[in-house]
Amino acid sequence: MFLSTREILHYKSRYVLIGSIIFLIAFVVFILSGLATGLANDFKQGVVDFKAEKVILSESSNNLLNASQISTSDVKKIKGGQTAPVSLFTTSVDRTSKKRVNVAIFAMDEDAVIKPKLLDGKMFSVSTDKTVVISQGLADAGFKIGQTMKIGNHKTEVKIVGISKASE
């Protein structure tokens, strides 16, 4: 013990450097784990807001919602209470000509039991082509009812008709 203490006191800069490297590695791991947790929570919040008792995924999905594909005929075979098929994908929308905002898009029937609660405007309609309801978060980012958004790389235009409660 005496010998190790004497060596540490003699080579202070070497041990400070090693300690600093260990601290920086631990700090980077901490920051990256926080970032990963935040991104995962942001993505899953839309599903949590469904307040569904069960979410059914295909066997081949590896328990990933966006990888699950269930045919319409299989959805009709599902027994239970109210069911609502939903499609999910992530993309980005043009906020300005030079800035894009990442979004998760949930596509569902207009009579789905999991559709969002409106704060303003009206609900999307299948009969009205390319209408969407956005979350309060996108409204806070500057999107307004009546405005059109360009989605994805193909710049598909959709019209905003309503604003729903933001995810908590």
Side-chain angles (χ1 to χ4, degrees):
M1 190 68 167
F2 173 73
L3 185 60
S4 61
T5 306
R6 202 169 116 196
E7 185 173 337
I8 290 172
L9 292 175
H10 189 268
Y11 297 107
K12 291 177 192 167
S13 59
R14 178 186 298 172
Y15 288 99
V16 167
L17 184 62
I18 291 171
S20 299
I21 290 171
I22 292 170
F23 171 77
L24 288 174
I25 289 171
F27 184 71
V28 167
V29 168
F30 172 74
I31 294 297
L32 288 177
S33 67
L35 176 65
T37 302
L39 290 173
N41 285 340
D42 186 37
F43 186 73
K44 78 172 184 174
Q45 190 61 47
V47 177
V48 171
D49 287 346
F50 291 162
K51 295 185 173 120
E53 290 179 21
K54 293 181 183 177
V55 176
I56 299 173
L57 304 174
S58 64
E59 288 183 35
S60 62
S61 70
N62 200 21
N63 291 329
L64 297 171
L65 181 63
N66 58 345
S68 179
Q69 296 179 0
I70 301 174
S71 68
T72 307
S73 61
D74 287 340
V75 169
K76 291 177 182 175
K77 294 177 188 174
I78 296 172
K79 303 284 188 242
Q82 298 172 317
T83 60
V86 63
S87 296
L88 164 73
F89 69 99
T90 56
T91 186
S92 59
V93 296
D94 289 339
R95 182 172 178 198
T96 63
S97 62
K98 295 182 181 178
K99 187 164 183 172
R100 297 185 64 81
V101 177
N102 294 330
V103 295
I105 297 178
F106 293 86
M108 62 192 74
D109 295 333
E110 58 188 312
D111 60 346
V113 294
I114 58 173
K115 66 184 175 193
K117 291 181 174 65
L118 286 179
L119 298 176
D120 194 12
K122 60 182 182 177
M123 187 54 67
F124 62 89
S125 173
V126 175
S127 61
T128 309
D129 196 27
K130 297 183 181 177
T131 58
V132 295
V133 172
I134 62 171
S135 71
Q136 183 64 49
L138 281 177
D140 293 343
F143 293 97
K144 297 178 179 26
I145 293 176
Q147 179 181 351
T148 58
M149 292 190 310
K150 293 181 180 176
I151 298 176
N153 291 334
H154 300 293
K155 309 289 185 195
T156 302
E157 288 193 9
V158 295
K159 184 178 181 182
I160 300 169
V161 295
I163 299 173
S164 71
K165 178 177 96 53
S167 296
E168 296 169 349

